[in-house]
């Protein structure tokens, strides 16, 4: 390994994908990442290594495959199920990263142009064909690019329509698809598609808000954008896919669903309701609140609690520090109001070790995030500490 | 103490000095991060070198229908603005450009960042990056006016917009002593235009990295290095306008400037460990209703003192 490679891999950024039910494996990977002085990645563009924890179901696997195409490279991919194999998986990833010939071959094989999302061929589970008339459709719609038909709000009640894997890379995707692909569906809905609309890169521009039946909370006539959040998104519930409809950065409608694992997850991974699980929730919320230092310390406490070596003094010190932060309170206060309080209250409950057993349904999630901006919605979702593993994979519910 | 303009042959050296101090700031951040990971702080000192190696080895990310020219302009804009800012900041007795309107020049370069950060968010044609760019604009709306009045305060006291005159006017008493509010507001604004610490919402994890969500390789390096360079340029300006610049006993003037800059920079870097990110939408009200009146009050007090003193 030459000097540059050795230096470069000191700071390897890892994008960790948790399959619903494999929380303990994610924790083991995160601990291993920390021990090596590596760091978690915020997006595929930021990542060197993609690690999948658990056995994903077909749709989640398609989403992961799509995210894999977005890693810039040099890149490496690893998959594991057992927490004990975390070190081995990362060692293997490091070997891939430092293998110059393999990386060069990988780079040569990749297309120059970014993939605009999975094409029609990769759609799974009998995607219904668009019911709208096809004859006045611009030819570009047949390109692989805008092949996704997300009709967003209008047929949110049809679970079949949610099946395409191309939506799944979610928040992390290059915007080409987020803007274009997702929007032409919205334009179909209203039947007044403007054929003269310019289509940069073969994708439609965001539809004008005036065409949409959605109420605009600010009274502004903003463009409507359909943006999927998840399922591959750091600090996000495992496997959760939230189809959001945005006006500006405000969520005006959200349709949640969970992309399940392939089969039932092992019961040994059921760690969420333990003290370690509470510290994991704290770490996730703090990471989203942008307090890296406290989030790292909370994750260390989580791992110590898992080993049964949690020093109460350390835990109390961090809890005090978090409770005292006025800025954190200012930023979380009033978000995601439920009968048991807001996001900040729930954080304090976790710190007290007295988290109430909540039965937040996916429908509640949609209701809570509607009307919030994208960033606040992320904080609210994290504050709910959703357990996506023990949820019957119900069809997506319409809430808008 | 007088400040002389040096020949423009020194410009590359000034740029190298800015980058070197910025790298030191990144090393400090790496050391602090290593400490919170439970490692020895020294193990994080190489972070800027390792990150540079990693990003220079990485491929550039391209996205569908990206606005590539504007994306590149935005990404390079941060470092460019930082380099242009330090042009007017004297290092001890030497300055690269002894502008009569140095304070306004600094302010103008900081306004460039409105465009740079927003373009970096606009360019990749990505929802998260664009939201990140707009979050920076919301934040800029909060910090820009307080920053302008905070910059006006030392200029009123020195009755000049030339940075050399600001330093000369602090002979005996640093401005920070009798204009603490302006100094604190200025430091907050430096954090804000560097997208750092509590004001890092534009690159925050709630938007998957915001304006950085789609950048990789050398483009990401430019933005990251630009943020550290902006912090450094802001600290250098703060050390000059509020902490007496090259004034000090025993040591040579250039060393005093460097020491004061390094001390202020270290505080700014360390603040990131202590504070969570502030959501921009909750920033504008306190900034305009509390910070701006306080800054104006500070300016009024300073103006009255200047008039009374004649």
């Amino acid at each position: 390994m030459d000097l540059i490679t050795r230096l470069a891999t000191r700071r390897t950024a890892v994008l960790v994908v948790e399959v619903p039910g494999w929380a303990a494996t994610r924790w083991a990977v995160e601990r291993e990442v920390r021990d090596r002085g590596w760091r978690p990645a915020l997006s595929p563009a930021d990542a060197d290594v993609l690690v999948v924890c658990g056995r994903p179901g077909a749709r989640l696997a398609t989403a992961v495959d799509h995210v894999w195409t977005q890693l810039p490279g040099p890149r490496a991919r690893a998959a594991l199920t057992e927490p004990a194999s975390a070190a081995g998986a990362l060692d293997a990833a490091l070997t891939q990263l430092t293998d110059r010939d393999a990386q060069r071959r990988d780079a040569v094989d990749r297309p120059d142009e970014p993939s605009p999302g999975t094409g029609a061929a990769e759609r799974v589970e009998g995607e219904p064909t668009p019911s709208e008339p096809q004859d006045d459709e611009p030819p570009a719609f047949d390109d692989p690019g805008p092949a996704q038909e997300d009709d967003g709000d209008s047929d949110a009640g049809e679970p079949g329509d949610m099946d395409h894997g191309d939506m799944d890379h979610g928040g992390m995707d290059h915007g080409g698809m987020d803007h274009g692909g997702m929007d032409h569906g919205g334009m179909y809905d209203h039947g007044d598609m403007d054929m003269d609309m310019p289509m940069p890169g073969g994708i439609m521009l965001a539809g004008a808000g005036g065409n949409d039946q959605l109420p605009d909370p600010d009274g502004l006539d903003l463009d409507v954008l359909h943006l999927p959040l998840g399922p591959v998104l750091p600090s996000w519930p495992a496997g959760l896919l939230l189809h959001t409809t945005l006006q500006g950065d405000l969520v005006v409608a959200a349709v949640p669903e969970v992309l399940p694992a392939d089969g039932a997850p092992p019961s040994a991974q059921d760690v969420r309701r333990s003290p370690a699980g509470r510290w994991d929730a704290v770490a996730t919320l703090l990471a989203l609140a942008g307090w890296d230092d406290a989030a790292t310390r909370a994750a260390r406490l989580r791992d110590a609690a898992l080993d049964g070596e949690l020093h109460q003094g350390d835990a109390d010190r961090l809890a005090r520090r978090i409770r005292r932060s006025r800025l954190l309170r200012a930023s979380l206060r009033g978000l995601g109001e439920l009968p048991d309080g807001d996001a900040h209250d729930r954080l304090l409950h976790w710190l007290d070790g007295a988290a109430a057993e909540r039965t937040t349904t996916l429908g509640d999630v949609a209701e809570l995030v509607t009307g919030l901006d994208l960033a606040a919605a992320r904080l609210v979702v994290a504050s709910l500490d959703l357990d996506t593993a023990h949820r019957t994979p119900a069809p997506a519910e319409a809430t808008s | 103490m007088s400040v002389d303009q040096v020949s423009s042959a020194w410009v590359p050296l000034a740029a190298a000095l800015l980058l070197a101090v910025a790298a030191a700031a990144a090393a400090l951040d790496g050391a602090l991060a290593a400490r919170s990971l439970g490692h020895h702080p020294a193990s994080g000192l190489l972070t800027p070198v390792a990150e540079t190696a990693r990003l220079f080895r990485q491929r550039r990310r391209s996205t569908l229908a990206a606005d590539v020219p504007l994306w590149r302009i935005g990404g390079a804009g941060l470092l460019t603005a930082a380099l242009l800012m330090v042009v007017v900041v004297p290092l001890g007795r030497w300055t690269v450009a002894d502008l009569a309107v140095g304070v306004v020049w600094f302010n103008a370069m900081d306004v460039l960042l409105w465009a740079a950060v927003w373009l970096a968010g606009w360019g990749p044609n990505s929802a998260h990056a664009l939201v990140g760019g707009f979050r920076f604009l919301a934040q800029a709306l909060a910090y820009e006016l307080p920053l302008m009045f905070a910059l006006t305060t030392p200029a009123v006291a020195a009755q000049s917009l030339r940075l050399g005159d600001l330093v000369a006017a602090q002979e005996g008493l640093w401005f920070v002593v009798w204009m603490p509010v302006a100094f604190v507001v200025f430091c907050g604004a430096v954090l804000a235009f560097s997208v750092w610490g509590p004001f890092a919402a534009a690159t925050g994890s709630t938007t998957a990295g915001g304006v950085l969500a789609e950048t990789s390789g050398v483009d990401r390096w430019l933005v990251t290095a630009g943020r550290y360079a902006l912090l450094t340029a802001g600290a250098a300006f703060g050390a000059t306008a509020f902490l007496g610049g090259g004034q000090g006993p025993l040591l040579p003037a250039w060393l005093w400037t460097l020491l004061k800059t390094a001390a202020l920079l270290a505080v700014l870097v360390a603040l990131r460990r202590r504070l969570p990110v502030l959501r921009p939408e909750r920033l504008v009200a306190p900034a305009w209703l509390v910070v701006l009146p306080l800054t104006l009050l500070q300016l009024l007090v300073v103006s009255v003192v200047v008039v009374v003193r004649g």
Side-chain angles (χ1 to χ4, degrees), chain A residues 173-265:
Chain A
D173 201 35
H174 49 81
M177 341 192 354
D178 293 340
H179 283 296
M182 330 285 296
D183 277 311
H184 80 253
M187 307 204 49
Y188 274 136
D189 295 344
H190 310 294
D192 53 357
M193 196 186 316
D194 181 2
M195 284 301 113
D196 298 329
M197 183 173 267
M199 298 197 300
I203 52 179
M204 295 296 289
L205 294 175
N211 288 346
D212 214 283
Q213 269 93 57
L214 295 164
D216 191 327
D218 284 343
L220 300 169
D221 220 16
L222 289 175
D223 290 355
V224 169
L225 186 67
H226 299 285
L227 177 75
L229 291 179
V232 180
L233 196 60
S235 310
W236 182 254
L240 179 67
L241 171 55
L242 192 65
H243 304 269
T244 62
T245 304
L246 302 181
Q247 288 195 350
D249 70 343
L250 285 185
V251 178
V252 292
V255 181
E257 61 172 329
V258 172
L259 304 190
D262 181 22

Side-chain angles (χ1 to χ4, degrees), chain A residues 238-316:
Chain A
L240 179 67
L241 171 55
L242 192 65
H243 304 269
T244 62
T245 304
L246 302 181
Q247 288 195 350
D249 70 343
L250 285 185
V251 178
V252 292
V255 181
E257 61 172 329
V258 172
L259 304 190
D262 181 22
S267 57
Q269 300 257 345
D270 194 6
V271 284
R272 297 194 63 84
R273 296 282 154 233
S274 62
R278 279 197 298 275
W279 280 113
D280 183 57
V282 171
T284 306
L285 185 56
L286 291 179
L288 278 177
W291 197 0
D292 297 346
D293 193 63
T296 307
R297 288 171 198 273
R300 282 170 62 193
L301 289 177
R302 169 195 75 194
D303 296 337
L306 202 61
D307 293 345
E309 291 169 5
L310 183 65
H311 293 291
Q312 202 51 46
D314 294 346
D316 291 344

Side-chain angles (χ1 to χ4, degrees), chain A residues 23-33 80 82-87 90 302-303 306:
Chain A
T25 308
R26 171 173 60 86
W27 298 355
V29 171
E30 285 180 357
R31 177 199 294 218
E32 188 63 31
V33 164
L80 70 161
E82 290 308 311
S85 41
L90 291 187
R302 169 195 75 194
D303 296 337
L306 202 61

Side-chain angles (χ1 to χ4, degrees), chain B residues 258-276:
Chain B
L258 267 187
L259 284 177
K260 290 171 182 174
T261 302
L264 184 53
L265 182 58
V267 172
L268 296 180
V269 168
L271 266 179
R272 189 171 95 111
R273 303 277 136 206
R274 315 289 317 169
L275 305 172

